[in-house]
């Protein structure tokens, strides 16, 4: 009897709710429509980005073809265009990889420090300081990188390391002097390092968010069994937040790939593919920023095309990252 | 009993075990990681402040940008300061209302519909779109047809700010207690009225704070400005037409100059830009602080 009457009640409520929505004033409906349009603008912008930039770069795509796009020569002399993007794809891959390798251990360590070690009143100032890295504009990192850090690193760090590792099998190829026997301050490694500084705040804050969802009862259980903090982290925190931290890392990777101005200033702007990290290279956003102003015709269309490739790459990385983080959050909420 | 306590003590503390040593090493590693972050941050801020403070003055902030070959004591960054303020303000005026409205749609009207989740997810993804792509986008749909202008730059910066404002505003709207909404409905208010006069004011502090942070980021952006605003050395008060300039664009232009004077002006502009970002960030923190205190 009770269940029957409850059903009747809810039907009654639903009925009156429908009656209410039908009587909604015009202003209300206009406001809802406005809000919906504002929300749809996001989807419209993303779609328009893809359509408009692809439209402007079709002449490059059709002139070079797939094999031309993924080739190395980048000749921008009028009439002799050979516009292959492989050098830039390589530079983007290698610098963002350096950035992630350097930034992730540091970021995850800081996230653990914040969640597992320090008391709450210390956590806030630490977060503020880490976030300051993101407040410094990209162009200021670039200015500092090219005028202060690069000359110092070339003299004090890269030079001695390169002469020490010259001829050593694998390390010599990575950290030895380049083919002309020199090392450069403005180089792939400097770029990767500065990108690492710039992505540290976002990787830290996301890792922290993920780690914070580890249930307190699991932590306490591990401690109650006599685990040290490290053992608790390895046994409880790590398995729980692995997936989410992978998402945070991917998000950092996406940021590093698209970071433009700092890279454009410190990467050294040289169209070569080399394993030597202390020599200059070029990345996709850097070449767009540096050469767009003087480009025309198919050259300009090629730079826009590199932009399309970069857009697609970062969208894929970001979708994967957000999906990984969301799944981790959902699972921990369900548990 | 005392004997038992003694026994327990010995078991629990485990002096000088390898397990405890590893635990201590791990803690030290975490602290070292934080120190590794402070070093470059301190280095950058020290350089910007020491090199920028020697050139910055009231005259520097208002004087016109001289040719690069001239020494540091000539001219300043007036047009760039003006351009930064005008273009960022215009971007804010465009992005903030749309961003808040979109957040209202997601949180108040959308429910758990597929479209709502799609918009929220895509706003998240959009925060990861590189800023240079926004520059290329506005170049392709606006600059090709209407030419360089402050407005074009503001459109690019607005696209960059929009997803950040949507996500931060949405988080703030989520925090407004359901009871407030229900109480207003009980008084017979329509949904739009409840949203505008009850929910929005309750979340306003957080929304303002999130928007200020978005503005701080946008003010320091260079890549979207390069292809939309161009970089000129003369002041342009008309933000709707003709090339303009910003502090970030000038720093980028001056960083690759061999002239000492141009580099010094670059450092002055960098200090100005960092100061603007810091002021906006501190303002955001103050707003949040006041609001989180108010309900208690």
């Amino acid at each position: 009897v009770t269940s029957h009457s409850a059903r009747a009640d809810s039907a009654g409520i639903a009925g009156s709710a429908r009656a209410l929505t039908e009587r909604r004033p015009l202003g209300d409906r206009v406001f809802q429509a406005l809000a919906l349009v504002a929300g749809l603008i996001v989807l419209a912008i993303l779609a328009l980005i893809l359509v408009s930039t692809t439209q402007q770069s079709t002449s490059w795509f059709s002139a070079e073809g797939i094999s031309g796009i993924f080739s190395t020569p980048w000749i921008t002399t009028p009439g002799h265009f050979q516009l292959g993007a492989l050098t830039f794809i390589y530079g983007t891959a290698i610098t963002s990889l350096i950035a992630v390798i350097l930034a992730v251990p540091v970021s995850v360590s800081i996230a653990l420090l914040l969640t597992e070690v320090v008391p709450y009143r210390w956590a806030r100032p630490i977060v503020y300081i880490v976030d300051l890295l993101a407040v410094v504009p990209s162009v200021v990192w670039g200015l500092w990188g090219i005028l202060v850090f690069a000359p110092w690193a070339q003299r004090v760090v890269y030079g001695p390391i390169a002469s020490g590792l010259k001829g050593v099998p694998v390390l010599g190829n990575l950290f030895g002097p380049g083919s002309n026997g020199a090392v450069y301050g403005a180089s792939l490694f400097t770029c990767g390092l500065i990108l690492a500084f710039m992505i540290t705040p976002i990787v830290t804050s996301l890792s922290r968010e993920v780690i914070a969802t580890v249930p307190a009862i699991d932590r306490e259980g591990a401690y109650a069994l006599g685990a040290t903090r490290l053992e608790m982290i390895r046994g409880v925190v790590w398995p729980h937040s692995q997936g989410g931290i992978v998402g945070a890392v991917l998000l950092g990777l996406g940021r590093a790939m698209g970071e433009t101005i700092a890279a454009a200033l410190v990467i050294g702007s040289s169209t070569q593919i080399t394993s030597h990290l202390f020599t200059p290279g070029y990345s996709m956003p850097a070449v767009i920023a540096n050469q767009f102003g003087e480009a025309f015709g198919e050259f300009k269309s090629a730079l826009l095309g590199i932009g399309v490739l970069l857009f697609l790459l970062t969208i894929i990385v970001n979708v994967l990252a957000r999906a990984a983080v969301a799944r981790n959050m959902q699972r921990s909420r369900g548990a | 009993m005392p004997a038992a306590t003694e026994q327990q003590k010995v078991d629990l503390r485990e002096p000088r075990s390898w397990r405890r040593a590893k635990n201590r090493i791990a803690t030290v590693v975490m602290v070292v990681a934080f120190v590794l972050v402070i070093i470059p941050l301190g280095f950058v801020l020290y350089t910007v402040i020491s090199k920028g403070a020697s050139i910055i003055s009231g005259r520097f902030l208002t004087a016109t940008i001289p040719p690069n070959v001239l020494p540091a004591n000539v001219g300043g960054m007036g047009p760039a300061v003006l351009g930064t303020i005008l273009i960022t303000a215009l971007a804010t005026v465009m992005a903030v209302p749309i961003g808040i409205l979109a957040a209202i749609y997601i949180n108040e009207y959308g429910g758990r519909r597929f479209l709502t989740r799609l918009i929220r997810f895509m706003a998240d993804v959009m925060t990861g779109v590189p800023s240079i792509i926004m520059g290329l986008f506005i170049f392709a749909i606006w600059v090709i047809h209407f030419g360089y202008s402050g407005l074009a730059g503001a459109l690019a910066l607005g696209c960059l700010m929009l997803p950040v404002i949507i996500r931060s505003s949405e988080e703030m709207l989520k925090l407004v207690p359901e009871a407030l909404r229900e109480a207003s409905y009980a008084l017979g208010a329509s949904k739009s009225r409840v949203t505008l006069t009850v929910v929005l004011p309750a979340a306003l502090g957080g929304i303002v704070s999130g928007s200020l942070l978005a503005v701080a980021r946008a003010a320091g952006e260079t890549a979207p400005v390069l292809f939309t605003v161009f970089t000129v050395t003369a002041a342009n008060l008309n933000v709707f037409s003709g090339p303009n300039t910003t502090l970030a664009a000038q720093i980028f232009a001056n960083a690759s100059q061999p002239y000492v004077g141009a580099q010094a002006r670059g450092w002055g502009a960098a200090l100005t830009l960092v100061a603007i970002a810091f002021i906006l960030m501190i303002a955001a923190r103050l707003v949040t602080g006041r609001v989180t205190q108010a309900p208690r």
Side-chain angles (χ1 to χ4, degrees):
Chain A
V1 176
T2 40
S3 75
H4 178 82
S5 70
R7 210 174 299 141
D9 269 2
S10 69
I13 288 169
S16 60
R18 201 176 307 123
L20 275 176
T21 47
E22 272 157 18
R23 267 188 279 119
R24 277 174 55 198
L26 180 68
D28 210 30
R29 273 176 288 166
V30 169
F31 183 70
Q32 175 168 7
L34 270 179
L36 175 62
V37 167
L40 290 176
I41 283 181
V42 170
L43 305 182
I45 290 176
L46 285 172
L48 268 178
I49 291 175
L50 191 60
V51 172
S52 65
T53 49
T54 308
Q55 226 170 27
Q56 295 295 326
S57 53
T58 40
S59 71
W60 179 58
F61 288 123
S62 55
E64 293 287 339
I66 294 289
S67 59
I69 288 169
F70 294 103
S71 67
T72 47
W74 179 257
I75 297 161
T76 58
T77 326
H80 305 276
F81 284 140
Q82 255 191 296
L83 303 163
L86 195 64
T87 322
F88 313 115
I89 297 172
Y90 171 79
T92 297
I94 207 87
T95 50
S96 48
L97 207 65
I98 296 172
V100 165
I101 289 172
L102 294 176
V104 167
V106 171
S107 305
V108 175
S109 298
I110 297 174
L112 287 170
L113 180 77
L114 287 165
T115 47
E116 309 299 339
V117 183
V118 300
Y120 182 72
R121 68 196 139 90
W122 287 19
R124 277 175 69 106
I126 293 179
V127 170
Y128 284 172
I129 289 172
V130 175
D131 282 350
L132 282 185
L133 283 175
V135 175
V136 175
S138 170
V139 71
V140 175
W141 280 114
L143 182 74
W144 173 77
I146 194 63
L147 293 183
V148 179
F149 180 78
W152 174 83
Q154 182 184 12
R155 203 178 60 245
V156 181
V157 187
Y158 300 169
I161 291 180
S163 54
L165 290 174
K166 195 176 179 178
V168 178
V170 177
L171 291 177
N173 285 335
L174 287 177
F175 301 107
S179 46
N180 61 353
V183 293
Y184 296 84
S187 62
L188 291 167
F189 188 81
T190 304
C191 179
L193 182 68
I194 288 185
L195 294 183
F197 297 149
M198 301 181 68
I199 66 172
T200 295
I202 181 126
V203 181
T204 305
S205 84
L206 245 105
S207 306
R208 184 168 160 247
E209 231 171 87
V210 167
I211 293 171
T213 62
V214 175
I217 195 143
D218 291 11
R219 270 176 238 257
E220 286 155 14
Y223 282 133
L225 288 171
T228 61
R229 187 190 290 132
L230 179 64
E231 287 162 350
M232 190 281 290
I233 288 170
R234 281 165 56 170
V236 174
V237 175
W238 182 244
H240 187 94
S241 34
Q242 234 172 354
I245 288 179
V246 168
V249 171
L250 280 174
L251 209 70
L253 180 71
R255 290 290 160 91
M257 290 193 318
E259 189 44 64
T260 306
I261 292 301
L265 285 170
V266 301
I267 202 167
S269 309
S270 160
T271 49
Q272 56 166 353
I273 292 186
T274 169
S275 69
H276 297 286
L277 301 181
F278 294 156
T279 57
Y282 228 146
S283 73
M284 297 162 83
V287 73
I288 304 173
N290 280 340
Q291 303 193 343
F292 199 79
E294 66 220 33
F296 48 88
E298 202 194 315
F299 182 12
K300 190 155 229 157
S301 133
L303 292 174
L304 278 150
I306 292 174
V308 173
L309 294 181
L310 183 66
F311 178 64
L312 292 175
L313 272 176
T314 48
I315 286 283
I316 291 169
V317 169
N318 271 283
V319 166
L320 291 176
R322 291 295 176 183
V325 173
R327 214 179 48 189
N328 192 87
M329 295 288 180
Q330 214 157 35
R331 210 186 42 202
S332 64
R333 215 175 297 136
Chain B
M1 272 316 264
T5 326
E6 193 93 331
Q7 186 68 39
Q8 236 172 17
K9 224 181 204 169
V10 173
D11 273 346
L12 279 175
R13 305 208 75 181
E14 279 191 296
R16 282 196 225 106
S17 83
W18 173 228
R19 292 173 57 216
R20 291 185 69 80
K22 273 201 293 189
N23 187 43
R24 200 156 300 159
I25 292 168
T27 311
V28 171
V29 167
M30 291 179 206
V31 174
V32 167
F34 178 56
V35 174
L36 283 179
V37 163
I38 299 181
I39 292 171
L41 180 68
F43 197 178
V44 167
L45 291 181
Y46 169 77
T47 318
V48 168
I49 292 171
S50 66
K51 293 204 180 215
S54 60
I55 181 172
I56 225 159
S57 65
R59 185 189 53 81
F60 177 82
L61 294 177
T62 50
T64 53
I65 303 167
N68 286 320
V69 289
L70 292 183
N73 57 4
V74 180
M77 280 286 159
V81 174
L82 188 72
T84 301
I85 293 172
L86 287 177
I87 292 168
T88 314
L90 191 58
T92 310
V93 168
M94 291 189 287
V96 168
I98 297 177
I100 295 176
L101 265 178
I104 287 176
Y105 175 76
I106 294 174
N107 200 58
E108 306 294 320
Y109 287 96
R112 294 193 54 75
R113 231 172 296 163
F114 173 74
L115 180 66
T116 316
R117 280 179 291 152
L118 180 70
I119 292 175
R120 184 193 289 128
F121 187 77
M122 282 307 174
D124 263 341
V125 169
M126 195 172 159
T127 55
V129 172
S131 59
I132 192 167
I133 302 294
M134 297 303 179
L136 290 179
F137 164 55
I138 299 299
F139 177 84
I141 65 159
W142 187 273
V143 176
I144 286 182
H145 308 292
F146 307 106
Y148 296 105
S149 68
L151 174 64
L155 284 171
L157 291 183
C159 288
L160 217 56
M161 290 162 68
L162 185 65
V164 182
I165 293 172
I166 292 177
R167 294 297 280 131
S168 66
S169 304
E170 192 214 335
E171 293 300 320
M172 292 305 132
L173 290 175
K174 230 187 260 172
L175 293 178
V176 176
E178 202 57 34
L180 271 181
R181 294 189 183 87
E182 286 160 5
S184 329
Y185 288 135
L187 292 173
S190 69
K191 185 149 191 169
S192 56
R193 203 178 166 88
V194 172
T195 306
L196 285 173
T197 60
V198 176
V199 179
L200 207 53
L204 196 63
I207 291 175
V208 170
S209 152
S211 305
L212 282 173
L213 288 177
V215 174
R217 296 220 61 165
E221 278 293 348
T222 318
V225 169
L226 283 180
F227 319 141
T228 53
V229 171
F230 210 63
T231 311
V232 292
T233 50
N236 181 359
L237 268 170
N238 185 352
V239 76
F240 294 102
S241 82
N244 215 311
T245 187
T246 69
L247 283 166
Q250 283 301 331
I251 299 170
F252 183 57
N254 284 25
S256 39
Q257 292 292 333
Y259 308 107
V260 182
Q263 288 183 6
R265 280 187 288 276
W267 286 112
L271 180 59
T272 316
L273 198 56
V274 169
I276 291 175
F278 270 62
I279 290 169
L280 286 168
M281 196 191 64
I282 291 168
R285 297 253 188 265
L286 289 180
V287 172
T288 326
R290 267 187 54 184
V291 170
T292 43
Q293 270 164 19
R296 260 180 249 151

